[in-house]
Each structure stands twice: as structure tokens, then as C-alpha cells.
Amino acid sequence: MPAETHLFLCRSDNYGVLLHDAASGATAAIDAPEAAPIEAALKATGWKLTDILVTHHHADHTDGIKALKEKYKCRVVAPAAEASKIPAVDETVREGDKVKVGTLSGNVIETPGHTLGHIAYWFHGDKLAFVGDTLFSIGCGRVIEGTPEQMWRSLTKLRDLPNDTEIYCGHEYTAANIKFARTVEPNNKALAAREAQAKQQISRNEATIPVMIGEEKQANPFLRADVPEVAAGIGMAGKPAAEVFAEIRARKNKF
Ligand code: ZN
Ligand code: FE
């Protein structure tokens, strides 16, 4: 049976998402920004929480864990490298580890940069990837603990996923990201199309995610630091991709 997902907003701009396996009844929350909206989502779907898959230790992704664990006795899976900063962890995972949610099978991809231990969960059979604060639609996370080189490498790992992989990210930042991206690539047609699409989604009060990685990599400047025209466009023709990425990220921080 195919995986089912349920997406909802938490806090001010965080996304919560439930991943459900109808065959077994298992349901995972990807991160736990806060307990109440996750409980409301469980009520709305009728699904029972069995697992929490944590992408990284920041409070806006972990604050809900304790209350949910107490109520549902669910398993908490977290990145090994930052498990000590995350409450109630049952299982730690690293690059290449498999994570089961009922009969669904995910792979752990280490994506350091935003935090040093940040991971993504890729459910290849269901063409879904949960990427936390590494990749956003038309943006990427701030490089808080790692280096720009690390973050660039992490983003290329996500870019290398099959084109038809649906990306679920941790925040609704798309409109602001597009505004900035237009300053980097004013003539990118895929970006212009994404802007039109996002405007429509927002005007209808819809989420702008998930996004297909195949489309995202045509329009997101943070996935395009090794495209010669992007480097040339910011006056860095011929420079290494990691340096071009670092400059784009620095400009976004000041934008
Ligand atoms: Zn974060
Ligand atoms: Fe976050």
C-alpha cells in the first residue's frame, strides 16, 4: 500500500507532517514542533502515533516530543550526532541506516550544515523525502553549526535524489525565498513559473510544499551554485561551487 501523508502548520511557520502506513496502521510524525497541532492532526486523520522521526535538535522541531511520547508511548528516532540534545530518544541513526514506519522503509541521509548532526529521511519506495531545515522550497537553512562547504555537499546529496521525489521541508518560507532568488537569477524561467505557482497557492491559503526535487533544482539558487550562469550572474565566474554557494547564502542572510 502506498504511504499517505498529512501536512499542517505548527507554531508560526513550521510544518508538521504525518507519514502513515495503511497496511500496518503505523504513523510517524516528522519532527514535533509542538504537541497540540500534531494531536489535532492525529484526531483529524484518525491515525495513531507510533513514531517520531527527528531531523535535528532545534527547539522548533523537538518541543512537542516529551508530551507526545508520554501520551502515545511512541518510538523516538533521532540523529546519533545530536541525540544528547533531543528529549526521550529511543533509537539513534546515521548515514545509510534504515528506518521502518510499519512496512514503509526509509533511508537516513546525513545533511550537516544547518546543524552538525542534521539528517533527512528518504522513503525511496514512496518517493518521499523529509529534509527538515536543510532544504526549503527556493531556499535552504541557515548554516549555523557547519560550514558552507558542508551545507553545499548536503544540498547536492538531496539534489541527487530521483527527480520525482517529493520534498517535505520544515518551514513555509517560500514567498520570501522567491523574492531573494529573483535577485540572484532574474531571468530564470523555472523560477518565474514557480513564483506564479506559489502566488496562486498562497492566495488560496494552500501550502507551497511538497515540491518535486526535479523541479526544485531548476529554480532554487542554492541548488544551482555549480551552474556557470549562476556564478557569472553574481560576479563569480569560474569559482568553486562551494564558494558560490557561500556567497549566495551570505547575501540571503543580509537580504
Ligand atoms: Zn532548525
Ligand atoms: Fe526550524
Side-chain angles (χ1 to χ4, degrees), residues 113-212:
H114 178 68
T115 64
L116 281 176
H118 195 296
I119 59 175
Y121 297 90
W122 175 38
F123 288 78
H124 45 95
D126 293 282
K127 302 177 177 173
L128 298 170
F130 302 95
V131 303
D133 286 359
T134 298
L135 174 65
F136 301 129
S137 184
I138 319 297
C140 74
R142 278 178 187 266
V143 184
I144 298 172
E145 296 178 9
T147 64
E149 289 77 5
Q150 267 177 327
M151 189 67 162
W152 168 245
R153 214 173 313 129
S154 296
L155 288 167
T156 60
K157 280 162 106 174
L158 299 178
R159 188 179 66 173
D160 285 345
L161 295 175
N163 279 337
D164 58 355
T165 307
E166 280 191 330
I167 301 287
Y168 284 82
C169 55
H171 290 269
E172 177 61 61
Y173 290 155
T174 310
N177 287 341
I178 289 171
K179 231 180 237 171
F180 169 73
R182 295 286 274 162
T183 69
V184 179
E185 282 200 280
N187 302 317
N188 181 329
K189 290 202 172 75
L191 177 57
R194 177 65 172 126
E195 182 173 35
Q197 180 200 36
K199 268 190 184 145
Q200 248 192 9
Q201 290 169 319
I202 292 163
S203 74
R204 291 183 191 139
N205 242 329
E206 294 169 6
T208 63
I209 69 160
V211 289
M212 292 275 201

Side-chain angles (χ1 to χ4, degrees), residues 11 13-15 31 33 55-56 58-61 114 118 132-134 136 144 170-171 173:
R11 304 170 79 110
D13 52 34
N14 276 84
Y15 273 121
D31 288 332
T55 62
H56 67 295
H58 285 158
D60 65 311
H61 298 256
H114 178 68
H118 195 296
D133 286 359
T134 298
F136 301 129
I144 298 172
H171 290 269
Y173 290 155

Side-chain angles (χ1 to χ4, degrees), residues 6-84:
H6 180 71
L7 179 75
F8 49 96
L9 275 170
C10 296
R11 304 170 79 110
S12 56
D13 52 34
N14 276 84
Y15 273 121
V17 55
L18 298 177
L19 170 68
H20 180 67
D21 174 36
S24 65
T27 302
I30 314 301
D31 288 332
E34 61 178 332
I38 294 175
E39 289 183 59
L42 290 164
K43 218 173 179 183
T45 53
W47 298 341
K48 187 190 170 300
L49 191 68
T50 51
D51 306 271
I52 301 174
L53 310 184
V54 183
T55 62
H56 67 295
H57 69 82
H58 285 158
D60 65 311
H61 298 256
T62 58
D63 270 357
I65 293 175
K66 250 191 95 192
L68 293 169
K69 170 94 187 171
E70 267 161 34
K71 182 160 180 186
Y72 299 96
K73 315 287 176 221
C74 50
R75 172 184 68 149
V76 178
V77 179
E82 44 195 59
S84 63

